[in-house]
Amino acid sequence: MKYILLHCSSRFFSHENLRNTPEQPPQPHKTADIVFRNGNIYTVDKQFKKTSSLAKRIGNTTKVVDLQGKMIMPDLVDAHMHVVSGGEFLLKCNLNYQPLPIAGLLAHVQGCIDDEGAGDDVWLEVSGSITKPHLDQLATNRPVMLRSADYHTVLANSRALEISNINADTPGPANGVVERHPGSREPSGNIEAGKAALKLLREEGITTFQDAAANPTFNAIFNGIKTDDALSASVNLDYRIATPKTLGAVDGIAIKAFIDGVITYPTLTAAPDAPWAPNGTWIGEPYWEPAFLEQLFLAGTDVRLHTDGDLAVKVALDAAAAFEQKHSKKKFKFGLACDEVTLASDWACFAQLGVDAIMSYQWTQLSSFYIPNTFKTLADYRLDNLQAYPQIENAGRPIVYGSDWPIDPLDEFLALKVAVTRSGDPENPNSPASFELPFDGPFPGVGEIDLTREQAIRSITINSAKFLRADDQIGSLQKGKLADLIILEKNFLEVPKGKLGRNRVLVTVVGGEPVFIAEDAGDFVQLDGLTAKFPNHEEDPLNKRLAARAIGGFAGKKLSAKGQKAAQLLRKRGECLHHKH
């Protein structure tokens, strides 16, 4: 029998050995609120134990959950997300890239309008593409704007153009254009958001996250959610800053800044150590030299930098080396996010300097982001330096994982599968491999050094917890830590490699209290009447609204196979924060 004991009232694990030694006679204990038994429980401690000797103490009111062999592991800690932005997207009226007749698309938008019952001056933002003449057919006086699937085109109805004072004489904006009809020249073309995001996070098993481009208003958002007793995850905020002129200009103990942009074609704003192509020219120099890091570290500020190109990574590591040489006794917390291209000579520097690489495994899939133009642009030698998280880990610095959601769909176990195999999943609609060839294949660098399953799990649990300075409370299942854990449908440590990305969370527990239970969880485990704090049925007002906002329901989870395929064909990598500076 395998047990784990939870005390909801204290929110902490309370473990004891099943056998008591003479030197330590049995002591009286309170009974547990919940006991999980008959499962495969992975502690993710230093030994990565699969435990079978955690205590049980069952009383008259104890809920006993029979896991029937299912896997328990610590909660997921996502160290790089944009949670408020993701929640705002979930609240939008979303056409979900579906190729429906215009009448069907307009009917969905009209449903969003009717459901809100808002006044004539309240804007409605829609994710999708419908032209102005069609938008003007909607039964509303409200201003309506739509963002296209690539997030770079905005369409609006007549009312929105009127309010925005855009007409036939309006000049095009800087670095943009107002599309016009050839003849007439007429233009053609927050707490609730946090709650929506938290709903998706608990369904994914994420109970701690860091918003990697936050601003001070986010404090009010999450404090408001906490006041409503609706917080289901621990919140960490990195305040985004531009190049600081003085230390006083930095407001916060954890900050995020951008050294460069992205490597993907045609943006090419990442900073390369040499021309992108052998016969190319320099494109995408660093936005700024991080010489200011010394003052930040001395002030005790935790720093995360976006570094996508190998020069940007090198510049940041050199700054860390200079600080370490000058202030050898001063400890600092420094993370480099993305790191899509790195120099082999820098892989060991992460460990030597104590710098964390925060990486998004799902980018290590063949996709239209790379094939054909990005791969053609990169010099051949860089293909072995793409997404080098196995090399950095095996050089001594464990990787920290961050999904960067909503840049990509939130699918943590697909990402972990990619971490282990450097390939996508042809049966997962969130994976480009579902397009089959040429995307159903290995990413460059496969077969050299891969992450193990244990390393992948650590990266999204204890490693991320350490980066967030929270590993004394979360990240592993150990005595004295918070009772944050998840139950999985499949055992990630045992299923065939090809099926690693087809997993899901059945139950999410935060502080000993279930916050999510899948509708069909009872088909896999015996729950003994266990209920979740947050209802999972569509009759709940928030759930009902979120389900109605998008074609295919909340987060598109009820799209048909055909609908999922259509969404995958049109989906882009979202509105990337990385190229804005």
Side-chain angles (χ1 to χ4, degrees):
M1 293 293 213
K2 302 164 186 178
Y3 302 88
I4 189 163
L5 167 67
L6 300 182
H7 283 298
C8 295
S9 56
S10 65
R11 298 189 67 226
F12 286 83
F13 287 109
S14 178
H15 297 168
E16 63 174 337
N17 293 324
L18 289 177
R19 292 182 300 175
N20 289 282
T21 63
E23 293 77 15
Q24 295 179 324
Q27 299 294 322
H29 290 270
K30 295 180 180 179
T31 58
D33 296 304
I34 310 170
V35 168
F36 295 103
R37 66 182 183 185
N38 295 333
N40 293 295
I41 302 167
Y42 295 87
T43 59
V44 194
D45 57 6
K46 290 182 179 180
Q47 291 76 36
F48 209 97
K49 288 183 296 189
K50 181 179 178 182
T51 184
S52 61
S53 60
L54 293 180
K56 65 183 187 296
R57 190 168 298 278
I58 301 173
N60 294 332
T61 61
T62 301
K63 299 288 186 183
V64 181
V65 177
D66 190 330
L67 296 167
Q68 299 187 19
K70 296 303 176 186
M71 176 179 175
I72 279 186
M73 61 172 283
D75 58 310
L76 303 186
V77 182
D78 195 314
H80 187 165
M81 310 183 83
H82 307 284
V83 172
V84 174
S85 298
E88 290 172 349
F89 182 80
L90 292 171
L91 285 176
K92 289 178 184 176
C93 185
N94 191 350
L95 303 180
N96 230 336
Y97 314 100
Q98 296 302 294
L100 299 175
I102 289 294
L105 299 176
L106 288 175
H108 181 75
V109 178
Q110 188 68 56
C112 293
I113 293 171
D114 296 342
D115 176 66
E116 288 186 5
D120 288 350
D121 294 328
V122 179
W123 285 73
L124 174 71
E125 185 171 354
V126 182
S127 178
S129 296
I130 309 176
T131 61
K132 172 180 170 289
H134 292 116
L135 289 175
D136 285 343
Q137 297 176 23
L138 293 167
T140 184
N141 291 321
R142 291 176 60 185
V144 179
M145 62 169 285
L146 291 87
R147 288 188 187 272
S148 62
D150 64 2
Y151 268 69
H152 290 89
T153 302
V154 175
L155 303 103
N157 68 351
S158 294
R159 171 81 165 127
L161 295 173
E162 178 187 347
I163 290 176
S164 303
N165 197 28
I166 297 176
N167 54 44
D169 298 322
T170 302
N175 300 316
V177 63
V178 176
E179 295 289 347
R180 308 168 192 275
H181 291 294
S184 66
R185 297 281 297 163
E186 183 186 29
S188 61
N190 283 313
I191 281 181
E192 195 170 24
K195 290 180 178 179
L198 289 171
K199 171 178 166 60
L200 183 58
L201 264 57
R202 56 183 174 260
E203 292 181 7
E204 284 286 317
I206 301 166
T207 66
T208 299
F209 68 86
Q210 179 142 302
D211 197 303
N215 64 63
T217 65
F218 289 16
N219 279 314
I221 291 173
F222 290 109
N223 278 324
I225 295 172
K226 182 179 179 180
T227 299
D228 291 344
D229 193 27
L231 199 60
S232 59
S234 296
V235 180
N236 298 268
L237 302 178
D238 264 352
Y239 285 173
R240 181 179 176 179
I241 65 169
T243 309
K245 292 183 172 59
T246 66
L247 187 60
V250 179
D251 181 16
I253 61 173
I255 62 98
K256 165 79 172 289
F258 291 78
I259 299 299
D260 67 343
V262 294
I263 68 169
T264 47
Y265 181 91
T267 308
L268 297 177
T269 51
D273 190 58
W276 281 121
N279 59 348
T281 58
W282 284 84
I283 300 176
E285 295 184 358
Y287 298 158
W288 56 286
E289 296 285 335
F292 197 71
L293 287 176
E294 179 181 8
Q295 296 182 54
L296 293 173
F297 290 152
L298 289 174
T301 301
D302 291 354
V303 178
R304 179 204 303 252
L305 298 180
H306 168 93
T307 53
D308 210 45
D310 42 21
L311 177 61
V313 174
K314 179 178 174 58
V315 165
L317 290 172
D318 285 348
F323 181 85
E324 199 277 336
Q325 185 175 15
K326 187 175 180 180
H327 306 281
S328 59
K329 296 183 179 180
K330 177 69 176 178
K331 300 296 182 183
F332 59 91
K333 181 69 69 174
F334 191 26
L336 305 184
C338 299
D339 313 312
E340 291 199 76
V341 180
T342 52
L343 299 170
S345 57
D346 283 337
W347 293 338
C349 296
F350 285 89
Q352 293 167 4
L353 297 169
V355 175
D356 287 302
I358 308 157
M359 304 188 73
S360 302
Y361 302 138
Q362 70 275 8
W363 297 346
T364 317
Q365 300 178 81
L366 296 179
S367 69
S368 59
F369 303 132
Y370 296 106
I371 298 174
N373 291 322
T374 299
F375 281 158
K376 287 182 178 179
T377 302
L378 296 172
D380 288 343
Y381 77 89
R382 282 199 180 94
L383 297 184
D384 290 331
N385 294 17
L386 277 172
Q387 311 293 353
Y389 45 83
Q391 291 90 334
I392 295 171
E393 171 115 11
N394 285 282
R397 190 66 177 182
I399 297 296
V400 173
Y401 175 73
S403 64
D404 212 4
W405 178 71
I407 305 304
D408 299 283
L410 189 59
D411 193 332
E412 303 288 45
F413 283 94
L414 172 61
L416 295 176
K417 187 267 184 192
V418 174
V420 174
T421 65
R422 292 183 77 86
S423 62
D425 183 349
E427 295 189 26
N428 186 322
N430 287 327
S431 174
S434 63
F435 295 156
E436 301 177 350
L437 294 176
F439 306 126
D440 185 11
F443 198 81
V446 69
E448 296 178 2
I449 306 175
D450 296 325
L451 288 187
T452 67
R453 300 186 195 204
E454 290 186 6
Q455 287 174 324
I457 288 293
R458 287 185 186 280
S459 70
I460 198 172
T461 54
I462 192 64
N463 296 356
S464 294
K466 287 179 179 178
F467 177 72
L468 298 178
R469 299 181 182 270
D471 54 304
D472 61 333
Q473 291 187 312
I474 60 172
S476 61
L477 306 182
Q478 294 177 271
K479 183 177 181 179
K481 288 195 174 185
L482 292 173
D484 293 0
L485 57 86
I486 55 177
I487 304 174
L488 301 181
E489 179 183 348
K490 299 180 179 69
N491 190 324
F492 186 83
L493 279 300
E494 295 180 359
V495 297
K497 279 188 175 183
K499 297 182 179 181
L500 287 172
R502 299 169 217 165
N503 210 341
R504 66 190 179 102
V505 175
L506 298 176
V507 178
T508 300
V509 176
V510 177
E513 183 176 21
V515 295
F516 167 72
I517 298 177
E519 292 180 3
D520 62 344
D523 297 340
F524 300 93
V525 296
Q526 293 182 4
L527 295 171
D528 189 23
L530 201 66
T531 58
K533 177 178 179 180
F534 298 94
N536 199 35
H537 51 78
E538 290 191 2
E539 286 72 25
D540 175 77
L542 177 62
N543 294 349
K544 185 176 181 179
R545 184 186 179 204
L546 291 173
R549 301 301 285 178
I551 294 177
F554 177 64
K557 292 187 176 184
K558 292 188 176 180
L559 285 173
S560 65
K562 182 178 179 181
Q564 290 175 334
K565 189 76 171 180
Q568 180 62 262
L569 284 169
L570 291 175
R571 181 185 291 132
K572 303 296 180 182
R573 191 180 271 182
E575 186 178 8
C576 186
L577 299 170
H578 302 162
H579 64 266
K580 295 181 178 181
H581 63 282

